[in-house]
Structures are given as C-alpha cells and as structure tokens.
Amino acid sequence: MPGDIIVPLKTTPLTELHRSLGAKLVPFAGYEMPVQFADGILKEHLHTRAAAGLFDVSHMGQVTLRGGAAAAALEKLVPGDLQALRPGRMRYTMLLNPAGGILDDLMVTRSDNGLFVIVNAACKEADIAHLRAELAPSIDILPQVDRALLALQGPKAAGALQRHTQVRLSDLRFMSSATIAVAGTDCMVSRSGYTGEDGFEISVPADAAVVVAESLLADPEVRPIGLGARDSLRLEAGLCLYGHDIDATTTPIEAGLAWAIGKRRREEGGFPGDSVIQRQFAEGTSRVRVGIRPDGRAPVREGAVLTDKDGAAIGVVTSGGFGPSAGAPVAMGYVETAHAAAGAALHANVRGKPLPARVADMPFVEHRYYRGPAATQG
Amino acid sequence: MNDLRYSEEHEWVAVGGAVATVGISDFAQEQLGDVVFVELPAVGTEVSAGEQIAVVESVKAASEVFTPVSGEIVEINAAIVEEPAGVNGDAEGEGWFFKIKLSDPSELDGLMDAKTYAAFIKE
C-alpha cells in the first residue's frame, strides 16, 4: 500500500538451517519463523510428546539484569517473589500495569550477580523500554542480542541432551538453570519449556547455534518442530499465550495465575496494580480463564463467543483448536465466574451455530516435568 | 493430468452423467495441512454455485468449502467425517466431499481443466 514502510523480516541464526530442513517459513512477530517442517504440525506435535522436538525460539527476548539489587528492583514491576529465588532457580512472572493488567509474561532466572529474563518476541522492545524507564540506573539492562534460544522438549529430551554434555542432567530439575557445555559450547540451559513435557531451553551464543542444533538433530529421536506444534502443545498444556489468553486488560487473578504470586508479595504488595490484585484475591473476580472441551468434533477457535443455555453471552474463547494428543478439540477462554465450575455446560458459537461444550480442568494433557530423581521414582 | 475440473476456490469436480462428485484439490489439502474436521451439507439440500456449503479444518485453521456447481446434494462422504485425515491421503479421489445432481451443467464450462489449474496455483 502507498505510504506503508516495508520492514524486512528479521532472521535467527537458524533460519538457513530451517530452510534446508524443508521448513515452511512465515512472518511471526517480525521474524521469519518456521511454522512447520515437512512432517506437518500433527506429526510434529505427537513426536514431541513421544520422543523429543527441537524448537527455534530465538525470536524471544533474552535480557540480563546485572547488579546485586536486580531482584529487589524488578519486584517493583512484577508480582513474583524474586528475592526468594536462589541462584540457578527460575520463576514465571508478569510485568503488570497500574490496573493489574499483564504487559508481558516472562521467565526470570536468578544468577550469581543478577537476573536473566526471557520475554515474548512481540513485546521485547516495549519490555526493554519499560525496564529502562522504571529500574534504578544502578541496574544494567543488557539485551542479549547475540544469543539464540533453542527448546528441546519431550520425554526423550534429557537422554538426547545428555549425549552432548558431561554434566549430569538428572541433577537439573524443573525450573532450574545452569551453565552447561553442549556440543563444546557453554550454554545457559534451563529445565523448562512451553509444552508440558520435560525438556530444556538452551540459550546459546549465536555463532554456535547451528552447531548445537545440528548436533541435537543428528539424534534420530530429535526432530525439528515448528511454531504450529508449539502452539498446539502449549494449548494442551493449558499454558497462556500472551496477546491471546492474557494481555493488558486481564489480571493474573482472572487468568488463573495467582499461583505465581507468592505469599509475601500478596501481603506486602509493592508492584503495579497491587491494590487491584489484593482486592481480587480477597473478593474474587467477575470472570476467570477456564479450559473448554467441545462435546463434538468441531474445533472452537479464538474469538468464539460463549453463551449460556438461554443464549446470553457469558464469555469468549481466547485460544482453541484441535489437540492432537487429546484427540479432540480443546480451548480456553474467559467466562463469568458463575459459569466457571468444571463440568458446567455452555455453548460455543461457531459459524453461527451454538455448539455444546463444557468447562474442563486444565491441563488437557498431564504435565510431565522433571522434579528430581526422588520425585521420578516416587 | 486428469479429467477433473477445478475452481479458483480450489474445489474439483468430476462429472459422470447428471451427477458430479466434488472435493478439494490436492493443492488445497497440502496448504491446509493435517485435516482434523470436516462438515458436509445434508443430503437433499439444494445449493447454488459459489455458495459456502462445507467446512474443512486443519490443526492450523478453518476453511470454507464452496460448491462450484448448482444442484441437489445426493450423497456425502461419511468416511471423511469419521476419518478427516482421509482428505490428506487422497484429496482428489477417496477424499471426495459430496455428490451433486447438476441443475445447470453449463456451469462446468466456467471451471479450469487440470493444466490450467496447475498454472493457476503457480501464480
């Protein structure tokens, strides 16, 4: 269109590798990213749950906050208890606005001399500007633009990664992080992910990303997986997608993320929107995020209006589709609290037809995180 | 190449006398990816060319299916409703959608032959 500025898509250190592996590349958050490889979304999804999938998530923002007071400083912007984090441990939290709305969700890892945070691709510029505006000048904010980010996910992820490192991965439990040499390169490896499976996120220097990715992909159990399956996997795991299931108009309490707000933070406040959040803790909210299982086989997708038995609107679907492991359509969305009990009947309006559905517990597919050797045996 | 006729909406039509068989093209199924849901019109429905009368959904997205020809639906392929993946397996054969008794066979003249369609999808 005349007047439009054409911004070329950014690439990641792995874009050419994706192309050579037969990826279908699409624009996503300003990047050219693989939505799927030759296997297709369904097979990629099922392979990740059965074996191991390698995802390129280098479009996400990686930022180091350096300075001993970084945890206390960042707590002014998020409701997570960061000061209680020991070095090498990580936590899920959110940047909030003064109304308690979510500006972004992020993973925060405590290091020996600060924090390492991973934020959403679409939000990263705004997040960094927000941090620069709000954090004390004594905290260095260092975007790690020369690092790629890989996710290796699935029940065979640990075995596959173990073949490329000397460090005993059974010592690294869910939501922990360590600097580990992978295929000869020092990487920041965390035991975390976005699929509900055991797995790792591997932050690697950009110039070593292809070597690390190719080493992992040489294993027949590891297949490259695109963003399409990443979305269906996280949906089945009941995990929120920023900009869809959570945004600046939803609070952590409405989103069912109260578990991410520790007791101390809940009581003391001291984060944006604290009075709103504290009131919602005490009084509840008028709407809440729930899982939804359609009775039939038609997928119910984002934007579908949810109605009660009389046809009155009671909510809206924020994510939905076919769950390959669930073997059925699954969705999540917001409903009025009176309709939020698991099993509650409602209708999802698809192409003008009210399709019967029920509120369902999430996750739709059980989480299989690695919580340590004892937990695995028990 | 085959004897099928194709629409710009990526449906195909196979004509056998007064009744035509309609489905989505192999190109369309490939673009859609893994098909997980198919909704077909009821037998007996009278439809007009260009009308949206079926739905096909992949993991990625929902897509409308238009009938390229007018007439009465005389049969639907229950097999793809049961096993939607059949559309990916053989889109221009066993994965057909519905059979329609043509009310205006001259509509077929407006459709592309296989060679023209192959050029159309390259554009």
Side-chain angles (χ1 to χ4, degrees), chain A residues 263-301:
Chain A
K263 187 162 173 281
R264 178 179 64 85
R265 301 305 314 277
R266 201 179 293 201
E267 288 167 359
E268 293 175 4
F271 51 86
D274 51 3
S275 59
V276 176
I277 304 279
Q278 284 167 332
R279 190 174 69 239
Q280 290 184 347
F281 263 121
E283 298 170 9
T285 59
S286 60
R287 60 171 184 170
V288 65
R289 183 176 65 97
V290 295
I292 297 152
R293 276 185 182 271
D295 291 356
R297 294 173 64 169
V300 171
R301 298 183 191 269

Side-chain angles (χ1 to χ4, degrees), chain A residues 11-15 17-18 31 33 54-63 116-118 124 143-151 185-190 200-213:
Chain A
T11 57
T12 79
L14 297 177
T15 306
L17 177 63
H18 300 324
Y31 286 79
M33 297 300 289
L54 185 70
F55 305 72
D56 178 14
V57 288
S58 303
H59 56 313
M60 298 186 79
Q62 305 181 60
V63 184
F116 175 64
V117 308
I118 296 182
K124 66 182 173 186
Q144 302 292 304
V145 292
D146 292 328
R147 298 188 78 87
L149 190 65
L150 306 176
T185 297
D186 272 351
C187 299
M188 281 186 279
V189 176
S190 70
F200 304 87
E201 289 195 350
I202 305 166
S203 172
V204 50
D207 57 8
V210 169
V211 169
V212 170

Side-chain angles (χ1 to χ4, degrees), chain A residues 24 35-36 39-43 232 297-299 301 321-322 324 350-351 353, chain B residues 30-31 33-34 36-37 39 52 55 57-62 81-84:
Chain A
K24 187 184 281 186
V35 65
Q36 65 172 79
D39 285 346
I41 295 173
L42 199 70
K43 282 203 185 97
S232 55
R297 294 173 64 169
R301 298 183 191 269
F322 181 78
V350 176
R351 293 180 287 270
K353 275 179 271 184
Chain B
E30 203 175 301
Q31 291 295 306
D34 306 295
V36 297
F37 177 74
E39 187 177 273
Q52 185 249 309
V55 174
E57 297 206 30
S58 66
V59 182
K60 260 184 287 189
V81 175
E82 272 312 303
E83 281 294 334

Side-chain angles (χ1 to χ4, degrees), chain A residues 77-79 94-98 100-104 130 250 252 271-273 277:
Chain A
L77 305 181
V78 305
M94 326 83 196
L95 291 167
L96 298 182
N97 66 25
I102 302 172
L103 296 172
D104 197 6
H130 182 58
T250 57
F271 51 86
I277 304 279

